[in-house]
Amino acid sequence: MPARLRLALFVTGLLALAAVAGVLLFAVGERTVSAAGFAGAVRPPHMKPADFGVRDENGKQLRLGDLRGRPVVVTFLYTTCRDTCPLTADQIRVALDDLGHDVPVVAVSVDPANDTPSRARTFSLKHGLQGRMRWALGSTEQLQRLWNAYGVQPQSTDADHTASTVLLDASGVQRVGFAASVLTPDGLAHDIAALERERRTAA
């Protein structure tokens, strides 16, 4: 068989395999989304709620247990970030605007040494989230349990923090997660609304 013909057959075979793989991936993705009903990645089932008691940017006690009964957005940010964190905050704000009402939003500090109450208030004001998002501030020891519960690596001089946003259901269970690279206002608003419908149905 001529070399040129062998090459043509080889390329044709690769294209056919790629097409089949594409169809399979598309089908699996569609089935996963339609079954779960969420835009974000569904978290492993039966994850225990990770409660905490820390202070927010206004010095008030912040307990996750006090927010039960409705979906809660938990995101991981630091106030001196110049790229991912501002974008995440803006996407959350737009999601709330699109939703038409607010739900609790908690920004867990991943840089406790530099995330002062003043900087947290300034960050929220700059991104239109003053009064709409509360910061979970504290020492490394206080916040470590939260980072562990959500599988988050804090910001350090050696590595960037895990840029993650998680949706909790009305019982405080982690249900849906978004990496910063896939977080969109539409997706977040959609999943908040889905959890709200779920709560109403169960009531």
Side-chain angles (χ1 to χ4, degrees):
M1 181 183 296
R4 183 173 297 177
L5 180 57
R6 284 200 304 271
L7 178 60
L9 289 173
F10 177 74
V11 171
T12 301
L14 284 179
L15 291 174
L17 285 173
V20 170
V23 170
L24 290 174
L25 287 172
F26 177 78
V28 170
E30 284 292 289
R31 188 164 62 247
T32 300
V33 170
S34 61
F38 294 109
V42 177
R43 307 285 271 190
H46 311 304
M47 294 188 75
K48 294 181 179 180
D51 209 344
F52 54 85
V54 293
R55 296 287 175 179
D56 68 9
E57 68 275 24
N58 295 311
K60 296 181 179 179
Q61 190 75 15
L62 174 58
R63 295 187 184 278
L64 191 58
D66 295 338
L67 305 178
R68 300 277 166 79
R70 50 189 169 165
V72 177
V73 180
V74 179
T75 190
F76 295 83
L77 310 174
Y78 68 104
T79 58
T80 58
C81 179
R82 294 291 179 264
D83 40 52
T84 305
C85 300
L87 178 59
T88 296
D90 290 342
Q91 289 172 323
I92 291 173
R93 185 196 71 247
V94 174
L96 297 179
D97 291 344
D98 290 348
L99 193 64
H101 60 271
D102 286 354
V103 298
V105 179
V106 176
V108 179
S109 166
V110 290
D111 185 16
N114 295 302
D115 288 340
T116 64
S118 176
R119 285 176 173 171
R121 289 192 296 268
T122 299
F123 184 100
S124 295
L125 179 63
K126 182 177 180 180
H127 296 281
L129 287 168
Q130 187 177 35
R132 306 176 81 182
M133 179 175 79
R134 297 175 69 186
W135 283 80
L137 303 176
S139 66
T140 298
E141 291 72 21
Q142 289 174 313
L143 296 174
Q144 186 69 56
R145 190 166 65 88
L146 275 176
W147 301 333
N148 292 343
Y150 290 89
V152 167
Q153 172 182 286
Q155 184 70 17
S156 70
T157 55
D158 301 321
D160 289 333
H161 73 99
T162 306
S164 176
T165 298
V166 179
L167 267 179
L168 312 184
D169 64 17
S171 299
V173 177
Q174 300 180 40
R175 293 291 299 280
V176 186
F178 294 87
S181 58
V182 297
L183 178 66
T184 66
D186 287 347
L188 183 58
H190 172 276
D191 288 359
I192 293 172
L195 289 177
E196 290 178 330
R197 288 193 300 272
E198 181 182 281
R199 177 177 59 87
R200 289 193 297 268
T201 300

